[in-house]
């Protein structure tokens, strides 16, 4: 770990200014991802701006009927928030499928969607990685790529985005509010993360001087019909091999709107509008789910160790849709804090 | 009586210290003028260091020295000096010896600085240029290069009969290959050494180790120190599982730096560096079983290939289990090893047994289906009533009881024999079983017992407690033997000045050190009696022998007249003794050699497999253990539970993945090296079957540190087959293999 200076930002303006003034500056929120990466010399900021004191922790109603999640609200506080649990249980489930209770207590919403890939090669400075060191190559392409991308990858990078929360936010069509030196702007969630292309070192479209202030959830929460399904190598504390966030609007047996976002398969939360359209106006049958799953995976490409994700992904999509349809609306036991979490 | 402790569930005597943080581990000791060493690790697997630029790092104020192969002090010359008590044949790795790189993450420099953070930063500034050579790190490609070691580290394969003829006669034959990957111990506590240098130059070495004496001998030989100069202390170990059986390189580096700088030095490895030394070797195992139509084995062939390093011939008892576990005339065994550009493998919980019996017990399962026998029935048909490999009777063997009690508790009779026949919704349910065995050994060990006139007893031996509960059971044994309340007894370990004990491994500590503790306390009793005999005002008349008295509740009672008793402290006072002290050495009895001594287990597992996703959940496990006398059912149960959990890991999750491009373990942290988490662990039950054994040792305990893991993985793998009809022979069974 290199030495760095540290300041605590007290206002949004100073935070943004401070960030813009030092090229190697970084914001630190929960620190659960950034400090790990600093310890293994993947991130090397010379200046840390602690933003935890900024007043961005609230979760409030929006005029349009949606909900605003403060960037600095913790993952735990968000998942257990009464309104989130009631109106956006898909999001709550996705958050709670991630990491561990302890990590979720520290992790913030802004930090979560900015967390970096868990690609082994990104983490190990002894290996080639275009994301970590542009131009050095991609060791995963010909290496152990079991956890890597099957959709939207490039010859420069086959890493996947690791966040669970982001997959639900993609399905919910959230908006990310940011503030920079030029003022405020809102980034639709589908434009927030990028595909690697020839610049895999850029995970997203946030500009260097910009800070995430909040995430807006639109009114539609798919509380009646949704599922978050996460498939992984152990029951907890492991990243998704494939995850599916599904949200459906139903009229009787007919699907009137479908949202499907996939995690663990691409450099960003993966959505395919054509596949969703295939389901719109159709009845909720296995055949229709199959068609949608096939459409999503149509252009999927496996590498030496991860081809299984294509079939696994299809099955996961079908199961998630099935669960979303059949959902019973019993209160979910997921939303109770465990004894390790503060109240 | 209130001072009977053996066999009673007893909480850990060190539990409170551990949960309150009072227990100190190697990296937690403070020392005068402490400095911090951080290890720089090689990024290549094979080749040589062409150049090392340490100038930028060295310039930082506060960086004291950067040790490399270029500037290290002269050291012991012969391989012998670097060999330790657990060394396999060969030339041990010498840190910073020369410019050659023998494995990825080889330590190539130690940066010592006034703070940890600075040392860490400076380490990142060390620039190394390498000349790489092609490496080999794929065991699969080395099948043809595998060789028979000129000397086996532990057991030599012991074939018998004529397997070829046996197979020719067999009505039913199965042949299959089973593989499992390298696994790393990954104890919670990273390896660490703090070398404290006092004002007068006295050294105290705090090391994470399974034997302070092993560490002491190692550094004494290398650095030319007397045992008095090299005092090694290791009171608490945060798990080791075998990783502390050999002195690891942080000990060497911390010592070298402390002696050179004449200052205290602390070196702690990172989690990533925990993948830079010994590990369970990957194996490729071929099993051929031939049987009569009724399941009786005609022949067993077990051929294994395992990895070793370029510099040492590591081998373990991998195949001999196939000669002892079942009755069979014809057994053919081979165990070859293949040199890879990795560090030498190292004993890891039940070394060889876990790997070898995984293959054997999966093969037995396959044979059960081929012979259309219940897997349990097949084991009973081939039940070994003696150890056929050595033609010796067992000192005791209650495996039949394990099968019976385990099956009953588990509900084995509810199993539909047909694979893929049991389900609940989308979950396929499977039940599997496996047998386990582990060798019982008693070694030589010494213990010292000191009884004070205030009634407190201190017993000590230079053994270790790696989380197994040694402190507790030794306290129980001492307290019960001398008839004192446990609160008055303390046990000391982990200090090289204490009486000699062997490595803490092989599940022999309870038996070995326990016997010494017991004998030391017996000797104290003699002394107390002798005191009573010589005392003028002894309440006992006439003078008694040990046979005539009972020590309990802090008193000595006359056997034939329990009205007559005297407190132990009073007895000492009467004899004018302030302190009684004995040191004894307990040796295994010769007659042990006439017997085969093993603990056994029968493990029953139920799994639930999602038929679409191939995700496996181990819903239930029952492990029935025949392990002789159980000294402390509470800590014993914990040992077995831990073994089962590790079996879940081995079957479903654990794999140290080598990236072949770099010859490097690539998933080298606990986010990506998966071990079971609580959510993976469901209903576990442990049964200790009654087993009486007078031969294994004076206590009758067989040791329970390892038996719990043996067989657990195979039972789960067999259950997965029963659930899905898919036989997975490559561990771990991750979901992609079942899709
Ligand atoms: C062992 C382990 C397992 C995990 N498992 C999972 C899992 O299964 N699923 C999952 O989804 N996640 C998982 N996580 C990741 C965890 O969710 C993230 O580490 C966490 O969400 C990051 O939030 P943070 O506030 O700590 O971010 P930080 O580490 O503080 O920051 C991360 C990045 O975001 C930047 N940043 C933070 N806040 C802002 C802001 N408001 N504006 C601009 N930039 C900002 C920082 O500069 C930094 O670059 C796991 C983590 C660990 C360590």
């Amino acid at each position: 770990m290199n030495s760095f200076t540290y300041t605590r930002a007290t206002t949004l303006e100073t935070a943004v200014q401070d960030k813009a003034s030092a090229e190697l500056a970084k914001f630190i929120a929960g620190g659960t991802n950034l400090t790990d990466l600093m310890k293994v010399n993947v991130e090397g900021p010379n200046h840390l701006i602690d933003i935890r004191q900024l007043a961005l922790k609230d979760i409030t109603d929006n005029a349009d009927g949606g909900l605003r999640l403060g960037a600095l609200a913790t993952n735990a506080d968000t998942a257990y928030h009464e309104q989130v649990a009631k109106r956006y249980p898909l999001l709550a489930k996705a958050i709670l499928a991630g990491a561990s209770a302890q990590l979720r207590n520290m992790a913030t919403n802004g930090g979560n969607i900015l967390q970096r890939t868990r690609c082994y090669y990104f983490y190990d400075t002894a290996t080639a990685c275009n994301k970590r060191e542009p131009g050095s190559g991609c060791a995963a392409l010909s290496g152990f790529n079991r956890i890597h991308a099957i959709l939207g990858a490039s010859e420069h990078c086959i890493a996947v985005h690791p966040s669970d929360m982001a997959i639900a936010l993609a399905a919910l069509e959230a908006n990310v509010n940011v503030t920079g030196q030029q003022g405020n702007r809102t980034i639709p969630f589908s434009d927030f993360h990028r595909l690697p292309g020839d610049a895999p070192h850029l995970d997203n479209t946030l500009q260097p001087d910009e800070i995430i202030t909040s995430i807006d959830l639109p009114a539609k929460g798919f509380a009646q019909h949704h599922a978050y399904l996460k498939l992984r190598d152990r029951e907890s504390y492991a990243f998704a091999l494939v995850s599916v966030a599904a949200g459906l609007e139903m009229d009787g047996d007919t699907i009137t709107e479908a949202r499907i976002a996939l995690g663990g398969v691409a450099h960003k939360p993966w959505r395919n509008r054509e596949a969703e359209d295939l389901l719109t106006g159709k009845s909720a049958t296995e055949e229709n789910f199959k068609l949608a799953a096939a459409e999503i995976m149509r252009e999927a490409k496996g590498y030496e160790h991860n081809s299984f994700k294509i079939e696994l992904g299809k099955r996961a999509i079908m199961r998630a849709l099935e669960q979303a349809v059949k959902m019973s609306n019993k209160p979910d036991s997921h939303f109770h804090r465990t004894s390790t979490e503060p109240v | 009586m209130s001072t009977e402790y053996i066999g009673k569930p007893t909480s850990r005597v060190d539990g409170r210290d551990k949960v309150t943080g009072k227990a100190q581990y190697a990296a937690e000791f403070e020392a005068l003028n402490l400095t911090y060493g951080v290890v720089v690790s090689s990024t290549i697997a094979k080749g040589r260091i062409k150049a090392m630029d340490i100038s930028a790092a060295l310039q930082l104020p506060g960086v004291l020295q950067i040790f490399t192969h270029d500037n290290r002090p002269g050291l012991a010359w012969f391989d012998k000096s670097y060999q330790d008590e657990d060394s396999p044949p060969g030339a041990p790795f010498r840190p910073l010896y020369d410019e050659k790189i023998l494995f990825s993450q080889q330590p190539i420099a130690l940066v010592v600085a006034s703070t940890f953070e600075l040392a860490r930063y400076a380490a990142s500034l060390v620039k190394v240029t390498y000349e790489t050579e092609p490496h080999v790190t794929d065991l699969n490609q080395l099948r043809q290069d595998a060789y028979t070691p000129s000397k086996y580290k532990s057991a030599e394969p012991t074939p018998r009969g004529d397997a070829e003829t046996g197979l020719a006669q067999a009505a039913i034959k199965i042949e299959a290959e089973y593989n499992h990957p390298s696994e790393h111990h990954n104890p919670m506590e990273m390896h660490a050494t703090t070398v404290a240098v006092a004002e007068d130059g006295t050294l105290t070495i705090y090391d994470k180790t399974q034997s302070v004496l092993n560490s002491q001998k190692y550094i004494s030989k290398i650095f030319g120190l007397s045992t008095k100069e090299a005092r090694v202390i290791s009171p608490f170990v945060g798990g080791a599982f075998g990783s502390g059986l050999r002195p690891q390189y942080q000990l060497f580096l911390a010592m070298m730096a402390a002696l050179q700088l004449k200052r205290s030095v602390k070196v702690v490895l990172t989690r990533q560096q925990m993948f830079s030394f010994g590990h369970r070797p990957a194996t490729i195992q071929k099993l051929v079983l031939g049987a009569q139509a009724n399941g009786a084995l005609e022949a067993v062939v077990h051929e294994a290939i395992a990895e070793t390093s370029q510099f040492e011939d590591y081998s373990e008892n991998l195949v001999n289990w196939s000669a002892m576990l079942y009755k069979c005339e014809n057994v053919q065994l081979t165990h070859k090893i293949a040199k890879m550009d990795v560090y030498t493998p190292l004993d890891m919980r039940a070394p060889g047994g876990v790997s070898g019996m995984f293959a054997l017990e999966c093969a037995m399962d396959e044979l059960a289906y081929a012979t259309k026998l219940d897997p349990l029935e097949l084991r009973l048909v081939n039940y070994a009533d003696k150890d056929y490999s050595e033609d010796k009777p067992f000192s005791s063997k209650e495996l039949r009881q394990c099968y019976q009690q385990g099956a009953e508790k588990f509900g084995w009779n509810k199993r539909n024999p047909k694979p893929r026949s049991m389900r609940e919704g989308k979950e396929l349910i499977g039940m599997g079983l496996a047998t386990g065995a582990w060798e019982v050994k008693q070694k030589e060990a010494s213990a010292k017992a000191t009884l004070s006139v205030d009634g407190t007893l201190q017993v000590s031996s230079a053994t270790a407690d790696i989380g197994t509960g040694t402190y507790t059971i030794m306290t129980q044994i001492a307290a019960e033997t001398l008839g004192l309340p446990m609160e008055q007894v303390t046990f000391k370990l982990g200090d090289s000045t204490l009486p000699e004990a062997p490595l803490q491994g092989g599940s022999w500590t309870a038996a070995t050190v326990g016997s010494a503790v017991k004998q030391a306390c017996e000797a104290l009793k003699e002394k107390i009696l002798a005191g009573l005999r010589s005392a003028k005002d002894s309440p006992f008349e006439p003078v008694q022998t040990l046979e005539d008295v009972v020590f309990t509740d802090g008193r000595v009672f006359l056997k034939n007249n329990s009205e007559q008793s005297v407190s132990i402290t009073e007895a000492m006072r009467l004899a004018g003794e302030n302190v009684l002290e004995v040191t004894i050495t307990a040796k295994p009895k010769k007659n042990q050699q006439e017997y085969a001594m093993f603990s056994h287990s029968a493990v029953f597992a139920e799994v639930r497999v999602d038929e679409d996703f191939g995700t496996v959940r181990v819903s239930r496990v029952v492990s029935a253990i025949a392990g002789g006398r159980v000294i402390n059912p509470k800590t014993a149960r914990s040992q077995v539970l831990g073994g089962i959990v590790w079996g879940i890991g081995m079957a479903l999750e654990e794999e140290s993945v080598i990236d072949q491009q770099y010859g490097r373990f690539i998933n080298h942290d606990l986010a990506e090296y998966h071990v079971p988490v609580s959510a993976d662990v469901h209903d576990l039950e442990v049964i200790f079957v009654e087993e009486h054994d007078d031969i294994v040792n004076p206590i009758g305990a067989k040791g329970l540190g390892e038996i719990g893991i043996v067989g657990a993985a195979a039972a789960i793998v067999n259950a997965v087959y029963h659930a899905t009809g898919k036989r997975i022979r490559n561990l771990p069974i991750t979901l992609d293999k079942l899709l």
Side-chain angles (χ1 to χ4, degrees):
Chain A
M1 204 187 286
N2 56 329
S3 42
F4 51 84
T5 50
Y6 171 91
T7 51
R8 243 180 228 158
T10 46
T11 66
L12 201 54
E13 293 68 41
T14 51
V16 169
Q17 265 163 30
D18 200 4
K19 180 77 167 30
S21 64
E23 201 197 330
L24 294 176
K26 280 254 167 200
F27 294 127
I28 181 162
T32 60
N33 190 225
L34 182 60
T35 47
D36 271 5
L37 291 168
M38 287 166 73
K39 286 188 216 164
V40 291
N41 295 315
V42 172
E43 299 270 18
N46 61 5
H47 183 51
L48 280 189
I49 307 154
D50 190 334
I51 55 176
R52 271 174 295 194
Q53 307 217 321
L54 298 183
L56 300 172
K57 294 194 182 73
D58 290 343
I59 296 178
T60 49
D61 281 325
N62 273 341
D64 66 353
L67 200 64
R68 172 162 291 184
L69 311 175
L72 290 167
T74 67
N75 284 178
D77 285 344
T78 306
Y80 296 122
H81 190 275
E82 201 198 327
Q83 291 301 313
V84 175
K86 202 167 112 200
R87 288 154 61 191
Y88 306 96
L90 169 60
L91 178 63
K93 285 177 188 169
I95 292 173
L96 295 176
S100 66
Q102 293 86 340
L103 282 158
R104 294 191 298 264
N105 287 336
M106 284 302 287
T108 63
N109 294 332
N112 187 308
I113 64 173
L114 290 171
Q115 64 175 294
R116 309 209 64 189
T117 185
R118 308 302 290 207
C119 171
Y120 313 119
Y121 303 92
F122 176 69
Y123 263 79
D124 188 338
T125 55
T127 67
C129 172
N130 288 322
K131 185 181 274 300
R132 174 170 33 78
E133 206 184 318
S136 64
C138 172
L141 271 175
S142 48
F144 185 64
N145 43 38
R146 183 170 173 272
I147 61 173
H148 291 75
I150 50 170
L151 285 162
S154 77
E155 64 196 34
H156 303 287
C157 180
I158 59 171
V160 300
H161 198 275
S163 168
D164 287 297
M165 181 185 190
I167 310 308
L169 292 175
L172 292 169
E173 298 193 340
N175 288 301
V176 183
N177 299 316
V178 309
T179 299
Q181 283 183 307
Q182 315 297 324
N184 303 336
R185 66 181 181 121
T186 295
I187 310 171
F189 209 76
S190 55
D191 297 337
F192 186 78
H193 295 100
R194 309 177 57 252
L195 288 180
D198 58 4
H201 61 289
L202 300 173
D203 294 349
N204 51 57
T205 53
L206 194 71
Q207 295 306 303
D209 65 320
E210 285 176 330
I211 184 169
I212 300 177
T213 54
S214 63
I215 299 167
D216 281 339
L217 302 176
K220 203 180 280 175
F222 302 94
Q224 300 300 313
H225 294 285
H226 69 269
Y228 188 74
L229 178 67
K230 180 176 180 181
L231 299 172
R232 45 185 152 177
D233 281 325
R234 60 182 170 191
E235 268 298 298
S236 172
Y237 207 51
F239 292 90
L241 291 165
V242 169
S243 70
V244 183
L248 297 175
E249 293 266 284
M250 307 274 300
D251 182 4
D253 192 33
T254 306
I255 297 167
T256 55
E257 185 171 1
R259 304 265 181 86
I260 305 168
L262 263 61
V265 296
H267 198 257
K268 61 183 287 186
W270 190 260
R271 274 189 68 191
N272 180 325
R273 311 291 151 111
E274 275 107 78
E276 292 171 5
D277 290 345
L278 275 180
L279 289 173
T280 313
K282 301 277 167 51
S283 55
T285 62
E286 197 180 323
E287 295 90 274
N288 288 333
F289 295 164
K290 203 170 201 158
L291 288 175
E295 167 58 27
I296 293 173
M297 288 298 169
R298 198 160 46 85
E299 292 190 350
K301 173 176 175 309
Y303 297 86
E304 189 181 349
H305 306 100
N306 72 348
S307 296
F308 73 92
K309 282 190 179 184
I310 299 173
E311 181 57 29
L312 186 69
K314 287 184 192 166
R315 294 182 189 185
I317 293 164
M318 292 180 61
R319 178 79 64 88
L321 289 170
E322 194 186 314
Q323 286 177 353
V325 172
K326 289 197 192 137
M327 234 187 90
S328 66
N329 286 307
K330 275 184 285 170
D332 208 307
S333 63
H334 268 105
F335 304 137
H336 294 296
R337 283 176 197 257
T338 61
S339 55
T340 51
E341 294 168 285
V343 223
Chain B
M1 259 154 275
S2 60
T3 53
E4 276 176 12
Y5 297 105
I6 298 181
K8 300 235 169 89
T10 308
S11 293
R12 285 165 194 267
V13 295
D14 51 340
R16 193 185 169 81
D17 284 354
K18 280 186 170 168
V19 298
T20 56
K22 201 174 153 210
Q24 275 186 297
Y25 295 80
E28 295 180 319
F29 286 91
E30 271 310 316
L32 182 71
N33 292 325
L34 187 58
T35 64
Y36 299 82
V38 164
V39 179
V40 180
S41 308
S42 86
T43 56
I44 67 162
K46 189 175 184 183
R48 48 180 286 273
I49 299 167
K50 268 206 311 214
M52 239 169 151
D53 182 0
I54 56 173
S55 54
L58 211 46
Q59 268 163 24
L60 296 171
V63 173
L64 301 170
Q65 179 58 293
I66 298 174
F67 294 96
T68 70
H69 66 278
D70 275 333
N71 65 11
R72 66 159 174 85
L75 295 164
W77 182 248
F78 295 106
D79 279 339
K80 209 170 67 213
S81 306
Y82 295 82
Q83 262 148 2
D84 67 90
E85 285 183 30
D86 196 36
S87 290
F93 170 67
R94 303 179 185 194
L96 311 189
Y97 180 62
D98 59 16
E99 76 288 359
K100 284 203 198 72
I101 300 295
L102 305 173
F103 55 94
S104 187
Q105 282 216 76
Q106 175 177 323
I108 53 174
L110 182 78
V111 179
V112 185
S114 54
T115 68
F116 170 64
E117 290 77 9
L118 182 62
R120 193 164 171 145
Y121 175 51
S124 75
L125 298 184
V126 172
K127 294 274 167 292
V128 189
T129 39
Y130 301 96
E131 194 174 286
T132 57
E133 287 169 39
H135 57 257
V136 282
T137 44
D138 186 356
L139 185 61
N140 215 16
Q141 287 182 359
L142 291 170
R143 288 167 184 260
Q144 301 312 317
D145 303 299
Y147 60 97
T148 303
S150 55
K151 197 171 152 224
Y152 284 92
K153 175 173 180 275
S154 48
E156 241 177 79
T158 52
R160 65 173 174 267
D162 177 359
E164 219 167 294
T165 312
L167 284 175
Q169 285 163 4
I172 293 156
K173 215 178 95 175
I174 65 114
E175 176 174 339
E177 187 181 288
Y178 305 88
N179 303 326
H180 70 81
S182 317
E183 296 170 359
H184 281 80
H185 306 75
N186 272 315
M188 193 67 113
E189 178 201 18
M190 267 80 80
H191 277 257
T193 303
T194 304
V195 181
V197 183
E199 207 121 22
D200 64 357
T202 313
L203 298 173
T204 312
I205 301 142
Y206 304 96
D207 188 33
K208 175 187 174 108
T209 176
Q210 287 173 254
S211 168
V212 284
L213 296 173
N214 195 28
S215 294
Q216 182 189 47
K217 277 177 217 153
Y218 176 80
I219 52 177
S220 305
K221 286 188 293 182
I222 294 172
F223 298 102
L225 301 172
S226 70
T227 47
K228 203 161 163 252
E229 288 167 316
R231 179 176 180 198
V232 180
I233 291 182
S234 181
F236 292 98
V237 176
F241 313 116
S243 66
L245 285 172
R246 298 188 71 181
Q248 299 302 354
Y249 60 78
Q250 92 286 342
L251 170 65
F252 173 101
L253 294 172
M255 274 302 293
M256 183 182 69
L259 291 173
Q260 285 295 297
L261 301 171
K262 300 190 167 47
R263 273 186 74 170
S264 306
V265 178
K266 179 180 289 184
V267 180
V268 185
L269 299 188
T270 63
R271 179 57 67 188
Q272 285 76 10
Q273 286 166 343
M274 291 299 287
F275 290 77
S276 66
F277 52 91
H279 50 276
R280 193 191 295 290
T283 67
I284 299 172
Q285 303 181 59
K286 187 173 112 178
L287 260 293
V288 189
L289 303 181
Q292 295 169 18
N294 69 359
L297 285 166
E298 288 281 1
V300 176
V301 178
H302 191 164
E303 295 172 353
I305 300 173
E307 58 166 309
T308 192
S309 65
Q310 298 289 357
F311 43 93
E312 286 170 315
D313 277 356
Y314 177 84
S315 66
E316 53 197 16
N317 181 6
L318 191 56
V319 294
N320 282 352
W321 308 102
S322 292
M324 70 69 63
L325 205 56
Y326 298 108
K327 180 164 83 185
C328 178
E329 297 291 324
N330 307 302
V331 181
Q332 182 188 314
L333 306 170
T334 61
H335 178 186
K336 293 183 178 175
I337 54 178
K339 284 192 181 302
M340 307 211 307
D341 296 301
V342 296
Y343 194 91
T344 311
L346 174 58
D347 300 331
M348 178 159 134
R349 205 169 190 183
V354 161
S355 319
M357 275 179 274
F358 144 65
L360 174 64
E361 286 301 287
C362 289
M364 283 297 280
D365 199 59
E366 301 205 35
L367 184 65
Y369 289 98
T371 53
K372 302 200 169 54
L373 282 177
D374 183 290
L376 183 52
E377 183 59 31
L378 178 70
R379 268 114 179 145
L380 292 173
V381 167
N382 292 292
Y383 196 86
D385 40 24
K386 65 172 181 179
D387 178 3
Y388 285 83
S389 62
E390 301 207 20
D391 197 23
K392 285 180 185 171
F394 288 107
S395 63
S396 63
K397 178 177 175 180
E398 297 294 347
L399 176 58
R400 246 181 238 284
Q401 278 298 316
C402 295
Y403 288 136
Q404 199 187 319
Q405 292 181 28
E408 196 175 300
K409 185 114 230 167
F410 182 78
W412 183 252
N413 58 4
K414 296 199 187 73
R415 174 179 180 270
N416 180 336
K418 227 175 116 216
R420 216 183 169 92
S421 62
M422 299 172 74
R423 68 157 67 221
E424 212 175 285
K426 290 190 196 286
E427 276 189 337
L428 304 168
I429 301 173
M431 297 182 175
L433 76 83
T435 314
W438 190 247
E439 219 175 333
V440 178
K441 278 190 189 146
Q442 186 191 349
K443 306 229 158 194
E444 187 175 313
S446 306
K448 179 168 142 184
T450 311
L451 180 64
S452 304
V453 72
D454 64 358
T456 57
L457 171 69
Q458 192 184 73
V459 189
S460 59
S461 181
T463 182
D465 186 338
I466 57 172
T468 43
T470 312
Y471 274 116
T472 309
I473 63 164
M474 295 308 153
T475 308
Q476 287 175 267
I477 292 171
E480 173 160 325
T481 308
L482 210 55
L484 287 174
M486 265 182 79
E487 301 71 54
Q488 282 167 237
V489 182
T490 47
F491 184 71
K492 262 194 89 180
L493 52 70
D495 184 335
S496 61
T497 58
L498 300 176
E500 229 172 293
L503 293 171
Q504 211 274 15
S507 294
W508 57 57
T509 299
T512 300
V513 182
S515 297
V517 166
K518 184 168 181 195
Q519 283 182 27
C521 294
E522 300 281 1
L524 273 187
K525 289 198 216 167
E526 290 281 10
K527 285 206 166 189
I528 294 166
L529 270 201
L532 277 176
R533 273 185 230 118
S534 61
K536 270 204 262 58
D537 317 311
S538 173
F540 291 169
E541 306 245 2
V543 172
Q544 310 301 327
T545 69
L546 265 188
E547 266 72 69
D548 304 320
V549 294
V550 177
F551 281 70
T552 189
D553 294 335
R555 302 184 75 81
V556 193
F557 288 87
L558 266 192
K559 249 189 206 160
N560 58 12
N561 179 5
S562 59
E563 302 284 285
Q564 258 208 51
S565 73
V566 59
S567 78
I568 289 173
T569 49
E570 178 63 16
M572 286 176 74
R573 246 191 308 275
L574 289 170
E577 305 273 12
N578 270 328
V579 179
L580 291 177
E581 188 171 291
V582 293
T583 302
I584 61 94
T585 299
K587 292 181 187 164
K589 287 214 186 90
K590 286 249 162 39
N591 73 339
Q592 287 182 357
Q593 280 159 20
E594 296 155 29
Y595 296 89
M597 307 194 299
F598 291 90
S599 51
H600 286 89
S601 70
V603 190
F604 299 80
E606 180 190 89
V607 299
R608 287 164 179 259
V609 184
D610 188 294
E611 66 173 333
D612 292 336
F613 304 143
T615 42
V616 180
R617 183 159 60 93
V618 180
S619 41
R620 284 191 307 130
V621 177
V622 174
S623 179
I625 308 275
R629 190 169 182 199
V630 178
I631 300 170
N632 184 345
K634 196 169 178 180
T635 49
R637 181 167 175 275
S638 294
Q639 279 300 303
V640 178
L641 289 179
I644 300 169
V645 171
W646 208 338
I648 296 174
M650 181 178 185
L652 306 177
E653 297 174 8
E654 281 191 59
E655 175 168 18
S656 299
V657 180
I658 298 187
D659 174 278
Q660 300 299 341
Q661 307 166 98
Y662 295 93
R664 182 174 175 89
F665 292 110
I666 197 69
N667 56 339
H668 47 34
D669 59 41
L670 291 183
E672 296 302 334
Y673 181 90
H674 292 149
V675 300
V677 293
S678 297
D680 294 320
V681 180
H682 299 277
D683 208 359
L684 308 185
E685 256 189 274
V686 181
I687 300 171
F688 291 110
V689 163
E690 266 301 313
E691 192 175 60
H692 187 77
D693 197 323
D694 285 333
I695 292 152
V696 281
N697 53 63
I699 296 170
K702 287 186 168 179
L704 295 165
E706 283 157 302
I707 183 68
I709 182 176
V710 186
I716 293 164
V717 175
N718 294 339
V720 169
Y721 173 77
H722 180 240
T724 63
K726 281 187 194 152
R727 179 63 69 178
I728 309 299
R729 302 187 182 90
N730 287 324
L731 297 186
I733 306 182
T734 45
L735 57 79
D736 42 310
K737 294 179 186 168
L738 285 171
L739 273 186

